[in-house]
Amino acid sequence: RDFVPTGRMAVLDQERCLYDLKTMARLRLRAQDSLGIQVVVESALGLGVFAGDSIGIGDLVRRLSAQAIKEVLEQERFRSIKLVVCSLPIFPKHENYSHFSRAFGDERHPYTGCTPVVLADQDMHAIALEASQAGFAVGELNPADSHGVFGEYWQNLGPGTEEKLALTTCGLL
């Protein structure tokens, strides 16, 4: 949405992008863990209108986003977090869910993290509400668009949400 097509294919620094996605995922998860969140409802990074479809890098950004979440969850151990639910935005068929399904379900490189992960389609609010009603402290954080509750417990109804990823990350800092 924020990209202007020029007719030339964009070149993405994949190593830098993966590093940044991992840094932001680790920051979000650590922040929620320090708040005592037990169930993280995560919508991940770079899956929507900011992925870069219009300049030819959308699929690559989505793949790197899935890889980043997987790698961070494999490297980190959390005190409070008991479950991560990836509530993935649905756009065209075989987009977000398929990238995460491949990343976490790869038989050659299976997920080895200590924290259980559930991949679910869409409705992060319904998932957070169910977990909250079941008695869990729930964190609902959608880092990239205006439908998530910015860095707050779901029950707090949060302050306003931020549209841009950078502002969300800075807010958590």
Side-chain angles (χ1 to χ4, degrees):
R1 177 170 95 179
D2 286 355
F3 299 110
V4 177
T6 62
R8 291 190 301 174
M9 178 68 85
V11 177
L12 179 67
D13 183 338
Q14 294 180 46
E15 190 174 305
R16 174 67 186 263
C17 184
L18 179 61
Y19 175 82
D20 288 346
L21 288 167
K22 287 173 66 173
T23 300
M24 290 182 278
R26 184 173 281 110
L27 174 66
R28 290 191 320 278
L29 291 167
R30 285 181 178 173
Q32 291 191 75
D33 192 52
S34 72
L35 288 170
I37 299 296
Q38 296 171 304
V39 177
V40 172
V41 182
E42 166 74 45
S43 69
L45 302 169
L47 303 182
V49 295
F50 302 114
D53 290 323
S54 64
I55 57 173
I57 60 171
D59 273 347
L60 179 56
V61 170
R62 288 179 181 89
R63 184 180 59 76
L64 291 172
S65 181
Q67 181 181 345
I69 293 281
K70 178 186 176 195
E71 289 181 13
V72 167
L73 287 169
E74 289 176 336
Q75 295 164 357
E76 295 284 324
R77 293 193 183 273
F78 302 104
R79 215 178 51 253
S80 300
I81 296 172
K82 306 297 181 217
L83 174 68
V84 173
V85 179
C86 291
S87 176
L88 306 168
I90 301 170
F91 295 105
K93 190 175 183 181
H94 305 299
E95 194 176 78
N96 293 318
Y97 187 84
S98 62
H99 288 288
F100 276 74
S101 181
R102 279 194 299 270
F104 281 89
D106 186 343
E107 291 179 13
R108 294 170 297 151
H109 305 286
Y111 174 65
T112 59
C114 297
T115 306
V117 175
V118 174
L119 303 181
D121 288 345
Q122 202 60 313
D123 202 348
M124 69 186 300
H125 297 302
I127 294 166
L129 183 58
E130 286 293 322
S132 175
Q133 289 174 342
F136 293 100
V138 179
E140 180 182 356
L141 180 62
N142 182 343
D145 80 328
S146 59
H147 300 293
V149 179
F150 176 56
E152 290 287 321
Y153 290 99
W154 188 93
Q155 300 94 323
N156 288 353
L157 303 178
T161 57
E162 301 297 335
E163 182 108 281
K164 299 290 184 184
L165 179 59
L167 292 176
T168 307
T169 302
C170 288
L172 287 173
L173 287 172

